[in-house]
Amino acid sequence: MRGGAAAVRWDAMEYDEKLARFRQAHLNPFNKQSGPRQHEQGPGEEAPDITPEEALPELPPGEPEFRCPERVMDLGLSEDHFSRPVGLFLASDVQQLRQAIEECKQVILELPEQSEKQKDAVVRLIHLRLKLQELKVGVGPPHPQLTCDPSLTHPLQDPNEDEPNIRVLLEHRFYKEKSKSVKQTCDKCNTIIWGLIQTWYTCTGCYYRCHSKCLNLISKPCVSSKVSHQAEYELNICPETGLDSQDYRCAECRAPISLRGVPSEARQCDYTGQYYCSHCHWNDLAVIPARVVHNWDFEPRKVSRCSMRYLALMVSRPVLRLREINPLLFNYVEELVEIRKLRQDILLMKPYFITCREAMEARLLLQLQDRQHFVENDEMYSVQDLLDVHAGRLGCSLTEIHTLFAKHIKLDCERCQAKGFVCELCREGDVLFPFDSHTSVCTDCSAVFHRDCYYDNSTTCPKCARLSLRKQSLFQEPGPDVEA
């Protein structure tokens, strides 16, 4: 019996020595201490008692005192949670870690934003979750209590993880975000979204972001539905009607506002002309379409959040018919005249491509897939088109595409070359194409002539004359022999 007891004591001493070495190698780096460093602890020495007040770091000068030793220090970071041998983890360890994680979350929300204490608490939370994951995954076979308890199947799952991945509200289609590290701002409450400890959603239509708790407080429908059903701009420059027409309330959330800032500051949206509160108007800057088409003014101005999302969704939609809105703009902006000529030439090239097998296989028309309206008409423009014209990008890109298309028709493809025209007025010169700069096209029969020849003989078109004679011969009255 004595030998057995001695063996047990020897095993216990060996276990204590291994445990001490394990603790020394896995000291928690987040339990900082003020004052001199502790002396190295030997296998048989007892660790000195340290009060929570001694373990807390000293506050930097000027930072408000926020001491909660019971909550901050007891976050499940004690070494007893992580020093048990593999295979001896119990369900109580998981519960304690979960409780510590919840307390750490609460501490993060209570601490001042952007403070050093809050950053340290976030690091503690990450450390706790990593330990919880290690506890769940483990090394070797899992403990029976962990596998049988259904509540422990997802130890990393947040309390809000059971919320649905898709939420449909006021035509918004919200998807639950998986990212934990991206820092965003809630569009509803105008506060930071802590993805590590809070559940948040993003609308796939208008990219509206908000906390899970703010979803039921949303009162504005998704602007993507307005873009789908009524895609048009407000073309009056800042159509202000006054605060009295809004009953001195925000145009979106109906909160009381005034120009004096009591109870809330009134901010005007340069696109709608209406006034909004600071929660619905964040002084975002955007180019106003009405100022572009009337004044060729591209200076960004302050707009509300709703207007900013609407303008962002509408920026590539071709809904501006410049010839009707402001025909004098083409006399003022020379670049627009060049763009209009290039677009007209591309429309004349389109029939060659849709009847050419090589062009269809090469998918030449996909060069304009980002501006599909350029191969449909030459009148409609989007705000993005006008922005690119103002920056000088659209003219360069269209010129390159025009050159590529003309090279295929006139040089590379024999079938397209065979569809050229010969000037019937002079019957001289090279093969003509309707998009050549020195040609003119008959508006009635689409025949192509030299420009000088066409203007000199503008009263007669040989092809139109032939077609007219052919129609007369077909519809002539039959003679008596034919009738008999």
Side-chain angles (χ1 to χ4, degrees):
M1 293 295 294
R2 288 185 179 180
V8 170
R9 284 197 303 271
W10 175 255
D11 292 339
M13 291 175 61
E14 186 179 2
Y15 173 77
D16 292 339
E17 184 178 355
K18 290 182 179 180
L19 178 59
R21 268 185 269 155
F22 180 85
R23 288 181 173 178
Q24 187 174 358
H26 293 77
L27 285 177
N28 185 7
F30 305 102
N31 288 340
K32 301 178 182 178
Q33 299 179 6
S34 60
R37 184 177 178 182
Q38 288 183 338
H39 66 280
E40 299 294 336
Q41 181 182 347
E45 297 180 6
E46 294 182 358
D49 295 334
I50 300 177
T51 61
E53 288 76 8
E54 296 174 353
L56 282 173
E58 294 182 358
L59 286 173
E63 181 148 347
E65 183 176 0
F66 186 88
R67 291 190 176 274
C68 184
E70 295 81 12
R71 177 175 293 174
V72 176
M73 298 306 298
D74 188 17
L75 293 178
L77 293 178
S78 62
E79 298 163 7
D80 291 339
H81 286 299
F82 319 120
S83 59
R84 291 190 179 91
V86 176
L88 293 181
F89 290 124
L90 301 176
S92 59
D93 298 322
V94 178
Q95 297 298 336
Q96 290 175 8
L97 277 177
R98 285 183 173 178
Q99 182 180 1
I101 289 173
E102 294 303 319
E103 292 179 358
C104 190
K105 289 181 181 180
Q106 188 64 28
V107 170
I108 292 173
L109 296 176
E110 293 177 0
L111 285 170
E113 290 189 5
Q114 305 298 332
S115 64
E116 293 298 327
K117 279 182 168 290
Q118 191 183 56
K119 294 178 182 178
D120 292 341
V122 171
V123 174
R124 292 192 192 98
L125 180 60
I126 296 173
H127 183 74
L128 284 170
R129 285 189 166 176
L130 289 176
K131 287 298 181 182
L132 188 58
Q133 186 178 14
E134 294 175 4
L135 184 63
K136 169 59 182 172
V137 177
V139 180
H143 196 273
Q145 284 184 275
L146 294 179
T147 56
C148 296
D149 189 356
S151 64
L152 303 177
T153 54
H154 299 284
L156 287 178
Q157 192 176 28
D158 290 339
N160 296 328
E161 288 291 333
D162 56 346
E163 295 186 6
N165 292 327
I166 303 175
R167 296 280 298 273
V168 180
L169 181 68
L170 293 177
E171 300 186 14
H172 291 277
R173 190 172 181 84
F174 288 104
Y175 276 79
K176 184 165 62 174
E177 292 288 350
K178 303 297 183 182
S179 176
K180 301 295 185 182
S181 59
V182 179
K183 187 176 179 181
Q184 301 288 350
T185 303
C186 178
D187 285 318
K188 180 58 184 176
C189 63
N190 199 9
T191 58
I192 296 176
I193 299 175
W194 294 95
L196 191 65
I197 60 176
Q198 294 175 322
T199 304
W200 58 294
Y201 288 80
T202 301
C203 176
T204 57
C206 63
Y207 305 103
Y208 189 99
R209 301 182 181 90
C210 68
H211 297 102
S212 173
K213 61 182 180 180
C214 298
L215 281 178
N216 295 328
L217 303 178
I218 298 174
S219 58
K220 195 72 174 178
C222 181
V223 296
S224 63
S225 61
K226 182 180 178 181
V227 172
S228 302
H229 301 119
Q230 189 181 3
E232 59 183 10
Y233 285 116
E234 172 60 60
L235 294 179
N236 295 318
I237 298 177
C238 194
E240 180 183 2
T241 56
L243 270 174
D244 57 340
S245 63
Q246 300 179 203
D247 196 20
Y248 291 89
R249 294 182 177 275
C250 174
E252 183 172 345
C253 67
R254 307 304 296 168
I257 55 175
S258 69
L259 294 177
R260 296 180 300 172
V262 180
S264 180
E265 175 189 5
R267 300 179 179 179
Q268 187 181 29
C269 174
D270 195 83
Y271 173 68
T272 62
Q274 295 179 315
Y275 290 88
Y276 299 82
C277 66
S278 58
H279 287 283
C280 302
H281 193 311
W282 297 3
N283 291 328
D284 297 303
L285 298 177
V287 175
I288 309 302
R291 296 184 181 274
V292 172
V293 298
H294 291 298
N295 300 338
W296 201 243
D297 179 11
F298 292 87
E299 181 182 356
R301 286 174 169 79
K302 296 179 180 180
V303 295
S304 65
R305 295 291 293 176
C306 183
S307 298
M308 185 197 68
R309 285 190 290 269
Y310 182 76
L311 293 175
L313 293 175
M314 286 282 294
V315 68
S316 299
R317 286 184 170 260
V319 295
L320 297 174
R321 195 182 297 270
L322 292 184
R323 290 183 183 177
E324 295 181 2
I325 300 173
N326 186 8
L328 297 178
L329 194 61
F330 290 90
N331 299 334
Y332 173 73
V333 184
E334 296 181 359
E335 293 87 350
L336 282 178
V337 179
E338 298 177 2
I339 296 298
R340 181 175 60 183
K341 179 63 172 65
L342 290 173
R343 292 183 62 175
Q344 291 173 349
D345 290 348
I346 290 174
L347 290 177
L348 294 174
M349 295 177 183
K350 181 180 176 181
Y352 289 86
F353 293 144
I354 60 178
T355 57
C356 176
R357 181 181 302 174
E358 295 181 5
M360 296 298 291
E361 292 177 354
R363 299 184 178 183
L364 292 178
L365 288 177
L366 290 182
Q367 298 287 334
L368 292 169
Q369 60 181 346
D370 295 334
R371 306 180 197 270
Q372 189 63 31
H373 53 286
F374 278 17
V375 296
E376 296 174 357
N377 58 74
D378 63 334
E379 297 181 355
M380 307 303 293
Y381 291 83
S382 66
V383 172
Q384 187 62 53
D385 295 337
L386 302 182
L387 287 170
D388 293 340
V389 170
H390 179 67
R393 295 187 297 266
L394 184 58
C396 295
S397 62
L398 267 188
T399 302
E400 293 178 359
I401 295 174
H402 184 279
T403 304
L404 177 65
F405 287 178
K407 180 176 179 293
H408 170 83
I409 295 174
K410 303 176 69 172
L411 299 177
D412 298 342
C413 182
E414 295 182 357
R415 295 182 180 180
C416 294
Q417 292 178 22
K419 299 175 184 177
F421 293 83
V422 175
C423 180
E424 297 186 33
L425 297 176
C426 66
R427 297 188 179 278
E428 296 178 356
D430 300 331
V431 179
L432 303 178
F433 294 91
F435 50 84
D436 288 334
S437 58
H438 59 284
T439 61
S440 294
V441 181
C442 178
T443 56
D444 297 328
C445 63
S446 300
V448 182
F449 308 93
H450 291 114
R451 180 176 298 174
D452 297 336
C453 299
Y454 186 73
Y455 285 136
D456 293 342
N457 302 275
S458 57
T459 56
T460 59
C461 173
K463 187 175 180 180
C464 290
R466 287 199 310 273
L467 293 175
S468 178
L469 291 175
R470 188 178 301 171
K471 288 181 181 179
Q472 292 178 4
S473 62
L474 290 175
F475 293 100
Q476 273 184 346
E477 292 184 4
D481 298 337
V482 177
E483 184 177 358

